[in-house]
Structures are given as structure tokens and as C-alpha cells.
Amino acid sequence: MKKKFVSLLLVACMLLSILPMGVVSAREGMVSGTGGESVTWELDLDSGELVISGTGPMENYDTETPPWYEYAENIKTVRITEGVTSVGAWAFTSMSEITAVDIAATVETIGALAFLDCTNLTTVSFKEGLKSIKAQSFENIAATVVSLPASVEFIESNAFSNCRNLQKFVVAEGNPYYYTDENGGLFYNMDGYLVMLQCPGAFEGVYHIPGEVSLIQAWAFSGCTKLTGVVLPEWLDTIDAYAFDNCSALTQLFIPESVYNIGHSIVANCGALLKILV
């Protein structure tokens, strides 16, 4: 009897060892596991909703694969609930079936590349409480409008680059750092030093940058394939690297006398560019 019990126990251990690490079948049609020290996840395979819940930060996945990645084709929506304080880096990179993300007010930081290349992601709901959006977090998504809460304090330069459906940014009233212009572009006020952070990827025609802007941030116009021209302000002093990367319809660029700092590859992949005037 004892030998039979030991044999059954060994079989059970072998079966457990071949299950995906950290994944438990809670009930039919559901899979779940952990995504941080006090964070769990549960995916409804039928509805396609992935729910991240718990307290504290999510894991960062820059050195490992997220545990839900093997179900990427099933994930249609992501809901991050109250208590979670961050979205992990690389957490949903290239999960192209995701169409909507709802992020709770307790989330303060969205990690680098978190939703990079989620090419069908059209709806992102940010809440008041969000403070930081890291590099390439939402690069190459399908959203047409990005609404930012008043609490946002820091957005890295290419967080929303190459979003070719993006028509405008909207910033909540009361945000002391970020604002938009009549073209829907996103700007940053750095103690009176004004920075152009991002042109909406769907902008078409000639972009007139407001006269008070002093710096064009790296990748600010990256992927604006319908941009035909840009009027730079006469107080501009810096154009950062890759500022006009992949602006495939841009034919010429006039750089005013005030500019003294130009980053590398500012017009990389601009196949229609005929001349740069200085």
C-alpha cells in the first residue's frame, strides 16, 4: 500500500512539472498565475479578457517572457484593477490581438515597451493618478485619440511614436507639465523651456510648430508619413536624434539660424526629402 501511494505521488509530481510555470487552471475556460510579488492574473479564454489584480508593482519582463504570452492569440482586452501600482516593462509587447486596455487609478508607472506593437490597440483608458509613461510604451498602436490625465508628470520621448492612426492628444485641464496645440500635438513645459514631444502620427500637410518652442524631442515626428512640410520656430535651439525619422512625404526642411544643436539621423528614412536649407 505504501509503495502504491509513493508511485501515485511521483506521477502527480511529474504531471505538475509539465504544466506551464505559475499557471493554474482555476475552472473551465480560465487560466491564471502570478505577475509580481503580490500581483496575480486571470485570463478568460472565452471572452479574451485578461485581468491583472493584487497590490504593488507588476513584474518587468525585459529578461523573461510574460506568463500569459503563450495565450497571446486569446487576449483581446486587458484590465488592470485597483491596487496594482505599475504595468511591467515588455508585459504585452507585440500582442496584436489586444484592442482595449483599462488601467486603474492606482497605476503610477507604465513600463518601457509595455504595449509596443499592439497594432490593433485602439482604446487606452488612463486614470487620474498615472505619473510616468516610459519609452516606447505605446509605440505603433492603433489609437486615434490619446487622453492624458492631469497627474502625468513624465512621458519619455518615443512613448507614442509611429502611431499612424493617431489624430490628436488631449491633456486634462490642470496638468502643469503637458499641453496640446491646435494640431493635436503634445508639448512639455520644462520650467518655461518648451519642448515638442510628439506630433500625432495621422497629421497631414505642413505642421507649424508654435513660436515659443525651443526643442524638438527625439522621434517627435517619427512615422508621420503624411507630413509634407514643417515650419520651425525662430527661437528653436535643438533638434534631437531621429526627430523626423520615416517622414516619407517630407520634401524639404529649413533649419533656422537659432538652432545650434542637431542630433544624429534627424531625417533618417525620409525617401522624398530633396533638400535641407540652413
Short mmCIF file of all heavy atoms in Angstrom, two decimals, residues 219-255:
data_model
loop_
_atom_site.label_atom_id
_atom_site.label_comp_id
_atom_site.label_asym_id
_atom_site.label_seq_id
_atom_site.Cartn_x
_atom_site.Cartn_y
_atom_site.Cartn_z
N TRP A 219 12.46 61.63 -32.00
CA TRP A 219 11.33 60.87 -32.56
C TRP A 219 10.01 61.65 -32.53
O TRP A 219 8.95 61.06 -32.66
CB TRP A 219 11.14 59.53 -31.84
CG TRP A 219 12.20 58.53 -32.13
CD1 TRP A 219 12.33 57.76 -33.25
CD2 TRP A 219 13.29 58.15 -31.28
NE1 TRP A 219 13.44 56.95 -33.17
CE2 TRP A 219 14.05 57.16 -31.96
CE3 TRP A 219 13.72 58.56 -30.02
CZ2 TRP A 219 15.18 56.59 -31.43
CZ3 TRP A 219 14.86 57.98 -29.49
CH2 TRP A 219 15.57 57.01 -30.18
N ALA A 220 10.07 62.96 -32.40
CA ALA A 220 8.84 63.75 -32.28
C ALA A 220 7.91 63.57 -33.48
O ALA A 220 6.68 63.57 -33.33
CB ALA A 220 9.17 65.23 -32.10
N PHE A 221 8.46 63.45 -34.69
CA PHE A 221 7.65 63.29 -35.90
C PHE A 221 7.81 61.89 -36.51
O PHE A 221 7.37 61.66 -37.64
CB PHE A 221 8.02 64.35 -36.93
CG PHE A 221 7.57 65.74 -36.58
CD1 PHE A 221 8.36 66.55 -35.77
CD2 PHE A 221 6.36 66.23 -37.04
CE1 PHE A 221 7.95 67.84 -35.44
CE2 PHE A 221 5.94 67.51 -36.71
CZ PHE A 221 6.74 68.32 -35.91
N SER A 222 8.43 60.99 -35.79
CA SER A 222 8.72 59.67 -36.33
C SER A 222 7.46 58.95 -36.79
O SER A 222 6.50 58.81 -36.05
CB SER A 222 9.44 58.82 -35.28
OG SER A 222 9.74 57.55 -35.78
N GLY A 223 7.46 58.51 -38.04
CA GLY A 223 6.31 57.77 -38.57
C GLY A 223 5.18 58.63 -39.07
O GLY A 223 4.11 58.10 -39.41
N CYS A 224 5.38 59.96 -39.13
CA CYS A 224 4.34 60.86 -39.68
C CYS A 224 4.45 60.83 -41.21
O CYS A 224 5.03 61.73 -41.83
CB CYS A 224 4.50 62.26 -39.13
SG CYS A 224 4.18 62.41 -37.36
N THR A 225 3.90 59.81 -41.82
CA THR A 225 4.12 59.55 -43.24
C THR A 225 3.34 60.49 -44.15
O THR A 225 3.56 60.50 -45.37
CB THR A 225 3.75 58.10 -43.58
OG1 THR A 225 2.39 57.84 -43.19
CG2 THR A 225 4.66 57.12 -42.84
N LYS A 226 2.42 61.30 -43.58
CA LYS A 226 1.66 62.26 -44.39
C LYS A 226 2.13 63.69 -44.16
O LYS A 226 1.54 64.63 -44.71
CB LYS A 226 0.17 62.13 -44.07
CG LYS A 226 -0.42 60.77 -44.41
CD LYS A 226 -1.89 60.68 -44.01
CE LYS A 226 -2.45 59.29 -44.30
NZ LYS A 226 -3.87 59.18 -43.87
N LEU A 227 3.18 63.85 -43.38
CA LEU A 227 3.75 65.17 -43.14
C LEU A 227 4.51 65.61 -44.39
O LEU A 227 5.46 64.95 -44.82
CB LEU A 227 4.71 65.12 -41.95
CG LEU A 227 5.42 66.42 -41.59
CD1 LEU A 227 4.46 67.37 -40.86
CD2 LEU A 227 6.64 66.13 -40.71
N THR A 228 4.08 66.73 -45.02
CA THR A 228 4.74 67.20 -46.23
C THR A 228 5.73 68.33 -45.97
O THR A 228 6.62 68.59 -46.77
CB THR A 228 3.69 67.67 -47.26
OG1 THR A 228 2.89 68.71 -46.68
CG2 THR A 228 2.80 66.51 -47.68
N GLY A 229 5.55 69.02 -44.85
CA GLY A 229 6.44 70.12 -44.51
C GLY A 229 6.31 70.49 -43.05
O GLY A 229 5.36 70.09 -42.37
N VAL A 230 7.29 71.25 -42.56
CA VAL A 230 7.25 71.69 -41.18
C VAL A 230 7.87 73.08 -41.09
O VAL A 230 8.90 73.35 -41.74
CB VAL A 230 7.99 70.69 -40.25
CG1 VAL A 230 9.43 70.50 -40.66
CG2 VAL A 230 7.91 71.12 -38.79
N VAL A 231 7.21 73.96 -40.36
CA VAL A 231 7.72 75.32 -40.15
C VAL A 231 8.30 75.37 -38.74
O VAL A 231 7.58 75.25 -37.74
CB VAL A 231 6.62 76.37 -40.32
CG1 VAL A 231 7.17 77.76 -40.03
CG2 VAL A 231 6.04 76.31 -41.73
N LEU A 232 9.61 75.52 -38.66
CA LEU A 232 10.30 75.54 -37.37
C LEU A 232 10.34 76.97 -36.83
O LEU A 232 10.59 77.92 -37.58
CB LEU A 232 11.72 75.00 -37.51
CG LEU A 232 11.85 73.58 -38.10
CD1 LEU A 232 13.32 73.18 -38.15
CD2 LEU A 232 11.06 72.58 -37.28
N PRO A 233 10.13 77.13 -35.52
CA PRO A 233 10.12 78.48 -34.94
C PRO A 233 11.51 79.08 -34.89
O PRO A 233 12.52 78.38 -34.78
CB PRO A 233 9.59 78.23 -33.52
CG PRO A 233 9.92 76.81 -33.23
CD PRO A 233 9.84 76.08 -34.53
N GLU A 234 11.58 80.40 -34.94
CA GLU A 234 12.88 81.07 -35.00
C GLU A 234 13.61 81.09 -33.67
O GLU A 234 14.78 81.49 -33.60
CB GLU A 234 12.71 82.50 -35.53
CG GLU A 234 11.76 83.37 -34.74
CD GLU A 234 11.59 84.74 -35.36
OE1 GLU A 234 11.29 84.81 -36.56
OE2 GLU A 234 11.78 85.74 -34.64
N TRP A 235 12.95 80.64 -32.58
CA TRP A 235 13.62 80.54 -31.29
C TRP A 235 14.11 79.13 -31.01
O TRP A 235 14.69 78.86 -29.96
CB TRP A 235 12.69 80.99 -30.16
CG TRP A 235 12.30 82.42 -30.24
CD1 TRP A 235 11.07 82.93 -30.52
CD2 TRP A 235 13.15 83.55 -30.08
NE1 TRP A 235 11.09 84.30 -30.54
CE2 TRP A 235 12.38 84.71 -30.28
CE3 TRP A 235 14.52 83.71 -29.80
CZ2 TRP A 235 12.89 86.00 -30.19
CZ3 TRP A 235 15.04 85.00 -29.72
CH2 TRP A 235 14.22 86.12 -29.90
N LEU A 236 13.92 78.23 -31.94
CA LEU A 236 14.32 76.83 -31.75
C LEU A 236 15.84 76.72 -31.60
O LEU A 236 16.59 77.35 -32.36
CB LEU A 236 13.87 76.01 -32.96
CG LEU A 236 14.06 74.49 -32.89
CD1 LEU A 236 13.10 73.88 -31.89
CD2 LEU A 236 13.86 73.87 -34.27
N ASP A 237 16.28 75.94 -30.61
CA ASP A 237 17.74 75.77 -30.46
C ASP A 237 18.21 74.33 -30.62
O ASP A 237 19.38 74.10 -30.90
CB ASP A 237 18.24 76.35 -29.13
CG ASP A 237 17.63 75.68 -27.90
OD1 ASP A 237 17.64 74.45 -27.81
OD2 ASP A 237 17.13 76.42 -27.03
N THR A 238 17.31 73.34 -30.48
CA THR A 238 17.74 71.95 -30.53
C THR A 238 16.75 71.08 -31.30
O THR A 238 15.54 71.17 -31.10
CB THR A 238 17.90 71.37 -29.10
OG1 THR A 238 18.86 72.14 -28.38
CG2 THR A 238 18.35 69.92 -29.14
N ILE A 239 17.31 70.23 -32.17
CA ILE A 239 16.53 69.17 -32.83
C ILE A 239 17.20 67.86 -32.46
O ILE A 239 18.34 67.59 -32.85
CB ILE A 239 16.51 69.34 -34.36
CG1 ILE A 239 15.98 70.72 -34.75
CG2 ILE A 239 15.66 68.24 -35.01
CD1 ILE A 239 16.07 71.02 -36.24
N ASP A 240 16.49 67.03 -31.71
CA ASP A 240 17.08 65.79 -31.21
C ASP A 240 17.12 64.69 -32.28
O ASP A 240 16.47 64.79 -33.33
CB ASP A 240 16.31 65.29 -29.98
CG ASP A 240 16.96 65.74 -28.69
OD1 ASP A 240 18.06 66.32 -28.74
OD2 ASP A 240 16.37 65.50 -27.61
N ALA A 241 17.84 63.62 -31.97
CA ALA A 241 18.04 62.50 -32.89
C ALA A 241 16.72 61.91 -33.39
O ALA A 241 15.75 61.83 -32.65
CB ALA A 241 18.86 61.41 -32.21
N TYR A 242 16.70 61.54 -34.65
CA TYR A 242 15.56 60.87 -35.29
C TYR A 242 14.27 61.67 -35.22
O TYR A 242 13.17 61.11 -35.31
CB TYR A 242 15.33 59.48 -34.68
CG TYR A 242 16.48 58.51 -34.89
CD1 TYR A 242 17.41 58.29 -33.88
CD2 TYR A 242 16.64 57.86 -36.10
CE1 TYR A 242 18.48 57.41 -34.08
CE2 TYR A 242 17.70 56.99 -36.31
CZ TYR A 242 18.61 56.77 -35.30
OH TYR A 242 19.66 55.91 -35.50
N ALA A 243 14.38 62.97 -35.07
CA ALA A 243 13.19 63.80 -34.91
C ALA A 243 12.19 63.62 -36.05
O ALA A 243 10.98 63.61 -35.84
CB ALA A 243 13.59 65.27 -34.79
N PHE A 244 12.69 63.47 -37.29
CA PHE A 244 11.82 63.33 -38.46
C PHE A 244 11.98 61.96 -39.13
O PHE A 244 11.75 61.80 -40.32
CB PHE A 244 12.10 64.45 -39.46
CG PHE A 244 11.86 65.83 -38.90
CD1 PHE A 244 12.91 66.58 -38.40
CD2 PHE A 244 10.58 66.35 -38.84
CE1 PHE A 244 12.70 67.84 -37.86
CE2 PHE A 244 10.35 67.61 -38.29
CZ PHE A 244 11.41 68.35 -37.80
N ASP A 245 12.36 60.98 -38.35
CA ASP A 245 12.56 59.63 -38.87
C ASP A 245 11.31 59.11 -39.57
O ASP A 245 10.19 59.21 -39.05
CB ASP A 245 12.94 58.70 -37.70
CG ASP A 245 12.98 57.25 -38.11
OD1 ASP A 245 13.67 56.93 -39.09
OD2 ASP A 245 12.30 56.44 -37.45
N ASN A 246 11.50 58.57 -40.75
CA ASN A 246 10.42 57.92 -41.51
C ASN A 246 9.26 58.86 -41.83
O ASN A 246 8.11 58.45 -41.84
CB ASN A 246 9.92 56.68 -40.76
CG ASN A 246 9.14 55.73 -41.63
OD1 ASN A 246 9.33 55.69 -42.85
ND2 ASN A 246 8.25 54.97 -41.04
N CYS A 247 9.57 60.12 -42.08
CA CYS A 247 8.57 61.06 -42.61
C CYS A 247 8.67 60.97 -44.13
O CYS A 247 9.34 61.80 -44.78
CB CYS A 247 8.83 62.48 -42.11
SG CYS A 247 8.55 62.68 -40.34
N SER A 248 8.04 59.98 -44.69
CA SER A 248 8.30 59.59 -46.08
C SER A 248 7.77 60.58 -47.11
O SER A 248 8.12 60.49 -48.30
CB SER A 248 7.72 58.19 -46.34
OG SER A 248 6.34 58.15 -46.00
N ALA A 249 6.91 61.53 -46.71
CA ALA A 249 6.38 62.53 -47.65
C ALA A 249 7.05 63.89 -47.49
O ALA A 249 6.74 64.82 -48.23
CB ALA A 249 4.87 62.67 -47.48
N LEU A 250 7.96 64.03 -46.55
CA LEU A 250 8.65 65.30 -46.30
C LEU A 250 9.64 65.58 -47.43
O LEU A 250 10.51 64.75 -47.71
CB LEU A 250 9.38 65.23 -44.95
CG LEU A 250 10.09 66.50 -44.48
CD1 LEU A 250 9.08 67.61 -44.19
CD2 LEU A 250 10.92 66.20 -43.22
N THR A 251 9.49 66.74 -48.08
CA THR A 251 10.33 67.05 -49.24
C THR A 251 11.48 68.00 -48.94
O THR A 251 12.51 67.96 -49.60
CB THR A 251 9.48 67.62 -50.38
OG1 THR A 251 8.80 68.81 -49.92
CG2 THR A 251 8.45 66.61 -50.87
N GLN A 252 11.30 68.90 -47.95
CA GLN A 252 12.39 69.80 -47.60
C GLN A 252 12.28 70.24 -46.14
O GLN A 252 11.22 70.16 -45.54
CB GLN A 252 12.44 71.01 -48.51
CG GLN A 252 11.30 71.99 -48.34
CD GLN A 252 11.48 73.22 -49.24
OE1 GLN A 252 12.04 73.14 -50.33
NE2 GLN A 252 11.01 74.36 -48.77
N LEU A 253 13.40 70.68 -45.61
CA LEU A 253 13.45 71.11 -44.22
C LEU A 253 14.32 72.36 -44.14
O LEU A 253 15.46 72.38 -44.62
CB LEU A 253 14.05 70.01 -43.35
CG LEU A 253 14.11 70.26 -41.84
CD1 LEU A 253 12.70 70.35 -41.25
CD2 LEU A 253 14.88 69.15 -41.14
N PHE A 254 13.76 73.42 -43.57
CA PHE A 254 14.51 74.66 -43.37
C PHE A 254 14.86 74.79 -41.90
O PHE A 254 13.99 74.82 -41.04
CB PHE A 254 13.70 75.88 -43.83
CG PHE A 254 14.38 77.18 -43.54
CD1 PHE A 254 15.47 77.58 -44.29
CD2 PHE A 254 13.95 77.99 -42.50
CE1 PHE A 254 16.11 78.78 -44.01
CE2 PHE A 254 14.58 79.20 -42.21
CZ PHE A 254 15.67 79.59 -42.98
N ILE A 255 16.14 74.87 -41.59
CA ILE A 255 16.61 74.96 -40.21
C ILE A 255 17.01 76.40 -39.91
O ILE A 255 17.91 76.96 -40.56
CB ILE A 255 17.81 74.03 -39.97
CG1 ILE A 255 17.39 72.58 -40.23
CG2 ILE A 255 18.34 74.17 -38.55
CD1 ILE A 255 18.52 71.58 -40.14
#
